Amino acid sequence: MIKRIVAKSVDWAGRYPVIVLMLALATIVASWSYASRLELRTDLLELLPRDSEGFKAFEHQLGRVGGGADLIVVVESPDRAANERFIDAMSAKLDATMAEHKACVAACKDDASCRATRCGPDLIAYTETGTKDVRKFFQDNKWLYADLKDLEDADNTLDHQIAIGSGLVSDLTADEPPAPAPAGSAAKPPAAAAPGAEKPAAPPKEEKKPALGLDQYRDRWQQRANKNDDFPTGYFATPDGRMLGLRIISKTAGMGDANGEALLRMVEKMVAEVNPHAFHPEMQAGLAGAIANATEERQSIMSDAAWATGMALVLILAGLVVFFRSFWSLIIIILPAFVGIGAAYSFAMATYGYVNTSGAFLGAIILGNGINYPIVLLARYREFRARGLPPDQARRDAVWNAFRAELVGASVGGIAYGSLVITNFRGFSQFGLIGFVGMLLVWLSMIPTVPALIVVLEWIQEKLPPWLRDPAPRIQSDGSRGPVMRIIADVTERRPWIFVGAAAVLCAVTAWKLPSYLHDPWEYNFDRLGSRGSKSSGAGSWSTKAEHVFGGKMNIAGALMLADSPEQVPMLKEQIFKNDAADPQGKLIADITTVDDLLPGNAEEQKKKLEVLERIRDRLTPAVLASMQEDERKRVLEVKPPEDLAPVAAKDLPALLRRRFEESNGTLGTVFYVKPQNISLSDGYIALRIAKTTDNVKLPNGTVVQTASRSTIFAEIIHAMERDGPLATGASFLAVCLVVLVATSSFRGFIVVIGSLVMGVLWTIGGAALIDMKLNFLNFIALPITFGIGSEYPFNVFDRSRLLGGDVTSAVKRTGGAVALCSYTTTVGYGALLFNDNQALQSFGKLAMSGEILCLVAALLVLPSILHIWRQKKGEEAPVAREAAG
């Protein structure tokens, strides 16, 4: 029944090829147009399962503090004054832009369509252009930031100095004669001290000091006020003034989204309009921060994906032309793949609306994998035509002859991708589901489109001059297409033990390294997973300069975290320190900054300070000040507390500081910052320890507070790989075994096909172990895919030998070339990843390519050798090739 259905489908496509092709082209145009709106998100957060505790905590935090991603403008020149003028000009332009947008929104009132069309998105939350307000705030309140004991000492010193000045206390440093003895009294010599008696303690020395002794306090209080302001000029600048910056805080999360890119382009345009060279000929300006880095990473991946996919397409086309000796064959083979690619990305658009990093290169991979089916089909058709069958029968028999192999190939290919769908890790599941849809659509579209294309292109060629037509299909008398497969087929038949022995030795060498490698194969250095080029150029280099300007200053550095209420913050702080102290590998947390750390003490402490300051102010009466020299009076007045000095609350802090501790709705005091010690946050081991210390903190009363940081993301990725990686690989392998067992319907077929596959995978993982290639959240995908795609090649060889009555040699000669071409195109598809600047994608390409090549070697050299030895052990004679066309 299946054979009849397939035959009727092929015949119908041959009778109505134009209808089939019009439908296929319409599908391609519609699907590719729809998928063109697909967004690429490169943030690691997009890889995590949505139900993981880390993701929920991080998403909960984002929902409360908003996007908050920053875009930093950095300017560099040898002239500090010129740099400051540029920052002023940029600040004025940003203020004007925000005011214009605000006015536009006000004019539109509640009309959402008006705001969307006329005003555009609201991109900027606020800007930070300098610390002038911060400096003024601490200057105005420097008295409150002094230590209480220091204030009391100053009060005592002032009291004594005023007493000395008024004559109530003698100035012991003054040069005064001793007072005369009273009249009539005789001077008595001093009494001798009793032996062993201690001399009486000398009275404390009272001396008159300049400025009533307040100079030392004035200087100390000034220093304490300045310690909260790392930028004495009022600009964000390096100490030498060579680099200055300003921060734009956006309303986006900075994950490479469209609004982030729109803000980046808007600010780039502003920088160009302000024109750095107009301020100094050597001045350069660049953009840094989360938005610039995410946008550049996204654009780099998109650019590399487009370029590499184009390169893969060229190399694949070249391989097809060489193999088939036909330019027309390209259309036949490529069209179904284009249907699958368009369908895959349209499915992604409809289901997700975006793809994460792992899905960026799926187009090249589907192209490389998907054209395996039409390659095998076209190769069978041309072989049957070379054997003298008429076109309609050759089409029908080629499809049915290859149907089992193609069906198994589609099944194991679908399994390869489908095994990733059962995982929760979106870096795996999204890639698997999109790839599964793409491969399925390639296979489904192949049966009608390939026969239809063959009919149309053969009709077109009949109208063309001979030199534009394909050469007539030809095969050798032994069924081979060329010398390479003939040599491989003959040598594996004559010397099978050589290949089996070499394979065994290679298995032993690679297996020796595997136990220690598989104990912990994961990549923990996250510096090896991102963009390599951006670290030395572009946003990465400007971010390094921005770090010189801003890094760790204004007493706020570290990972932002949230409490449920301000009252929880002290308890969270204490508990995190306790968790850190319990880490058996040592402490990681250097400090935890809360909004209270920026205040001059709690309400009670400030009340006591104000009482002392009031006494100091009362002592400095007009009479006391009038008795002093002018220069001393000026210094004392700098210390005299103002009468309007009042307690400082968190809401009184300058906006530059206060905003860092506010939620989107204005709630103040729930935000705090956990600052790690001087350690590498890109170290996965460190990330796991920090996450254990700071994530979802449980308070002594049993309350669990959802806390998260970027270390949470790294830790969740590692946990997901440890959990879902083996699950996907095991599922893929078991499902492939089941399909092969059913498809081969023989113990020998199952053993040789699965054995060949296992050898290829063993060599792949063993090779990775030998060169110490660690597994990460992207390259691990290569393993379950290799189980699926890699099993196609040995099954094709075995199935062709079955059709030839067990003639393995003829099977290799006839189908080995097509199998090698399939592997070549798939390898090239993976090879597109090598051109990407993203190191994780590069490692994916390397591991997948090695798996493809090694599985091909096992299929063409080891599997035939095992079948020859098996036959010799059973005493079977070499069969003569006898394959029915149908």
Side-chain angles (χ1 to χ4, degrees):
M1 182 182 68
I2 296 176
K3 183 177 180 180
R4 287 197 302 271
I5 293 173
V6 170
K8 289 182 178 180
S9 299
V10 173
D11 290 342
W12 187 89
R15 286 196 301 271
Y16 306 103
V18 175
I19 296 176
V20 172
L21 296 183
M22 287 180 65
L23 290 173
L25 291 173
T27 301
I28 291 174
V29 171
S31 62
W32 283 61
S33 298
Y34 179 63
S36 64
R37 295 179 290 167
L38 197 65
E39 183 182 349
L40 172 63
R41 298 182 184 176
T42 58
D43 194 90
L44 295 178
L45 190 64
E46 295 298 331
L47 304 177
L48 295 181
R50 292 191 179 276
D51 60 349
S52 72
E53 292 300 320
F55 178 87
K56 288 190 291 188
F58 204 87
E59 192 174 48
H60 169 74
Q61 183 169 291
L62 283 177
R64 290 173 58 190
V65 299
D70 63 351
L71 179 62
I72 302 174
V73 181
V74 181
V75 62
E76 182 179 17
S77 86
D79 187 339
R80 179 193 288 270
N83 293 339
E84 291 177 354
R85 291 196 301 272
F86 175 84
I87 292 295
D88 290 339
M90 278 297 302
S91 177
K93 202 165 188 65
L94 285 165
D95 289 343
T97 300
M98 288 189 290
E100 182 180 347
H101 185 274
K102 186 176 181 179
C104 180
V105 171
C108 288
K109 296 182 180 179
D110 296 329
D111 189 343
S113 62
C114 170
R115 290 197 300 268
T117 55
R118 290 179 53 191
C119 308
D122 189 7
L123 302 175
I124 301 175
Y126 57 88
T127 62
E128 297 177 347
T129 58
T131 61
K132 296 182 179 68
D133 292 344
V134 174
R135 191 170 188 81
K136 182 178 184 304
F137 171 81
F138 285 114
Q139 285 295 323
D140 292 345
N141 294 279
K142 61 186 175 184
W143 298 273
L144 288 173
Y145 283 89
D147 288 335
L148 178 60
K149 185 179 182 307
D150 212 32
L151 292 174
E152 291 172 341
D153 289 344
D155 182 42
N156 291 332
T157 298
L158 182 60
D159 182 40
H160 285 298
Q161 290 298 310
I162 292 174
I164 291 173
S166 65
L168 297 175
V169 176
S170 297
D171 182 2
L172 298 183
T173 63
D175 188 13
E176 298 178 356
S185 64
K188 296 180 180 179
E198 294 184 1
K199 294 182 179 180
K205 186 177 182 180
E206 300 289 350
E207 61 180 63
K208 188 175 183 178
K209 298 179 181 179
L212 300 178
L214 296 181
D215 282 343
Q216 58 177 325
Y217 300 104
R218 185 194 71 230
D219 295 339
R220 280 207 297 271
W221 299 348
Q222 187 67 42
Q223 289 174 0
R224 287 184 64 84
N226 289 341
K227 83 169 188 175
N228 293 290
D229 180 10
D230 297 296
F231 303 99
T233 64
Y235 292 88
F236 298 123
T238 54
D240 60 3
R242 186 174 184 87
M243 287 186 288
L244 274 71
L246 67 83
R247 295 179 73 231
I248 302 167
I249 309 302
S250 74
K251 295 188 175 181
T252 176
M255 297 181 182
D257 55 288
N259 281 350
E261 185 172 355
L263 176 59
L264 181 71
R265 298 295 165 242
M266 182 179 77
V267 176
E268 281 179 340
K269 183 180 179 182
M270 288 183 183
V271 171
E273 290 172 351
V274 173
N275 187 12
H277 293 299
F279 297 85
H280 192 280
E282 297 180 26
M283 184 178 290
Q284 292 182 321
L287 300 181
I291 291 176
N293 288 327
T295 302
E296 184 167 290
E297 181 90 2
R298 173 176 171 269
Q299 290 180 335
S300 173
I301 291 177
M302 289 180 65
S303 175
D304 289 345
W307 186 84
T309 303
M311 285 294 297
L313 180 60
V314 170
L315 293 173
I316 288 171
L317 295 181
L320 295 175
V321 169
V322 171
F323 181 81
F324 287 108
R325 298 181 298 120
S326 163
F327 286 99
W328 297 100
S329 65
L330 304 181
I331 303 174
I332 298 174
I333 292 172
I334 291 297
L335 189 68
F338 278 14
V339 172
I341 295 171
Y345 281 127
S346 291
F347 173 80
M349 181 67 199
T351 306
Y352 307 110
Y354 70 95
V355 290
N356 55 40
T357 304
S358 64
F361 278 71
L362 258 174
I365 295 173
I366 293 173
L367 176 64
N369 289 346
I371 64 174
N372 291 358
Y373 312 140
I375 283 174
V376 172
L377 181 54
L378 182 60
R380 297 283 173 95
Y381 171 76
R382 292 176 66 84
E383 179 186 337
F384 290 161
R385 288 287 287 133
R387 288 161 59 181
L389 292 181
D392 56 344
Q393 185 179 349
R395 291 193 303 271
R396 190 184 309 116
D397 291 350
V399 170
W400 181 247
N401 185 273
F403 187 79
R404 179 193 294 260
E406 299 282 34
L407 178 60
V408 170
S411 299
V412 294
I415 287 168
Y417 290 98
S419 64
L420 298 170
V421 177
I422 66 174
T423 67
N424 291 322
F425 186 56
R426 284 186 290 159
F428 294 166
S429 60
Q430 190 185 92
F431 180 95
L433 189 56
I434 298 171
F436 172 79
V437 171
M439 295 294 287
L440 178 65
L441 266 293
V442 172
W443 183 73
L444 289 176
S445 65
M446 173 194 65
I447 292 178
T449 57
V450 170
L453 281 167
I454 289 173
V455 171
V456 170
L457 294 180
E458 285 182 346
W459 179 84
I460 291 174
Q461 290 182 70
E462 289 175 359
K463 311 299 181 182
L464 298 175
W467 61 274
L468 288 177
R469 303 174 189 172
D470 283 342
R474 57 185 175 84
I475 57 174
Q476 304 297 323
S477 57
D478 58 0
S480 63
R481 289 179 48 86
V484 176
M485 287 304 137
R486 187 184 309 119
I487 293 172
I488 290 176
D490 292 340
V491 74
T492 52
E493 181 179 17
R494 291 197 301 269
R495 300 286 188 270
W497 283 107
I498 294 177
F499 296 101
V500 173
V505 170
L506 189 56
C507 286
V509 171
T510 54
W512 168 74
K513 188 74 174 177
L514 278 183
S516 60
Y517 178 76
L518 294 178
H519 177 69
D520 191 11
W522 313 111
E523 178 61 78
Y524 289 94
N525 185 351
F526 282 84
D527 276 341
R528 297 180 183 173
L529 303 181
S531 171
R532 182 184 287 112
S534 65
K535 291 180 172 60
S536 57
S537 63
S541 64
W542 283 107
S543 292
T544 301
K545 294 178 180 180
E547 184 66 21
H548 290 308
V549 176
F550 292 94
K553 296 181 179 178
M554 293 193 299
N555 290 328
I556 299 174
L560 181 151
M561 294 189 183
L562 275 173
D564 294 333
S565 66
E567 293 73 24
Q568 284 183 340
V569 172
M571 292 185 288
L572 277 170
K573 184 175 181 178
E574 181 181 0
Q575 187 61 50
I576 290 173
F577 276 131
K578 286 182 179 179
N579 295 346
D580 187 45
D583 188 338
Q585 300 182 56
K587 295 182 179 180
L588 291 174
I589 307 303
D591 195 14
I592 298 177
T593 303
T594 70
V595 71
D596 290 339
D597 295 322
L598 298 182
L599 299 178
N602 58 37
E604 184 62 30
E605 290 170 337
Q606 292 190 57
K607 180 181 177 182
K608 292 179 180 179
K609 289 181 181 182
L610 287 169
E611 291 172 354
V612 178
L613 289 169
E614 185 176 2
R615 292 201 301 268
I616 292 175
R617 185 170 58 248
D618 290 344
R619 296 188 196 283
L620 294 175
T621 63
V624 170
L625 294 173
S627 65
M628 302 171 63
Q629 296 293 328
E630 181 65 24
D631 60 332
E632 289 184 291
R633 187 185 307 115
K634 287 182 179 178
R635 300 203 300 273
V636 170
L637 286 173
E638 290 181 25
V639 180
K640 183 179 180 181
E643 294 185 3
D644 60 351
L645 197 62
V648 173
K651 62 181 178 59
D652 301 318
L653 291 170
L656 182 63
L657 300 180
R658 188 187 66 251
R659 284 174 181 147
R660 286 166 164 75
F661 297 93
E662 283 183 340
E663 297 184 35
S664 300
N665 62 3
T667 301
L668 179 60
T670 52
V671 178
F672 62 98
Y673 294 83
V674 178
K675 182 180 180 180
Q677 296 181 9
N678 189 20
I679 52 179
S680 173
L681 295 179
S682 61
D683 185 331
Y685 294 107
I686 298 293
L688 287 170
R689 291 171 58 197
I690 291 180
K692 185 177 180 181
T693 298
T694 62
D695 284 3
N696 294 311
V697 177
K698 186 175 183 179
L699 299 178
N701 62 8
T703 302
V704 176
V705 183
Q706 286 185 301
T707 51
S709 66
R710 296 301 288 187
S711 293
T712 306
I713 305 303
F714 292 159
E716 284 289 332
I717 287 175
I718 293 171
H719 289 318
M721 289 191 300
E722 292 174 341
R723 179 186 64 248
D724 288 347
L727 174 64
T729 304
S732 176
F733 179 66
L734 291 176
V736 165
C737 287
L738 180 61
V739 171
V740 171
L741 180 62
V742 172
T744 56
S745 301
S746 71
F747 176 73
R748 175 166 65 176
F750 173 77
I751 292 297
V752 294
V753 171
I754 294 300
S756 175
L757 171 65
V758 169
M759 275 188 286
V761 174
L762 179 63
W763 296 342
T764 301
I765 303 176
L770 289 172
I771 65 174
D772 197 30
M773 177 189 287
K774 297 295 187 180
L775 300 180
N776 58 58
F777 57 87
L778 287 182
N779 69 9
F780 193 89
I781 297 174
L783 297 182
I785 287 183
T786 298
F787 276 121
I789 306 300
S791 63
E792 287 186 43
Y793 309 138
F795 181 82
N796 267 283
V797 174
F798 173 79
D799 191 60
R800 194 65 188 275
S801 71
R802 179 189 62 82
L803 292 172
L804 290 167
D807 188 349
V808 180
T809 302
S810 294
V812 174
K813 291 178 180 178
R814 294 188 182 188
T815 201
V819 168
L821 181 60
C822 289
S823 179
Y824 165 79
T825 59
T826 303
T827 301
V828 169
Y830 290 134
L833 301 173
L834 300 182
F835 297 98
N836 193 271
D837 187 53
N838 184 282
Q839 298 173 85
L841 286 169
Q842 285 183 3
S843 66
F844 180 13
K846 291 175 183 177
L847 193 62
M849 286 178 68
S850 62
E852 272 294 313
I853 294 169
L854 293 171
C855 286
L856 176 67
V857 169
L860 294 183
L861 297 178
V862 183
L863 180 141
S865 300
I866 293 174
L867 287 174
H868 286 305
I869 293 173
W870 197 315
R871 188 189 70 239
Q872 292 170 6
K873 289 289 185 181
K874 289 196 169 187
E876 298 175 3
E877 295 183 0
V880 178
R882 48 179 179 79
E883 178 184 41

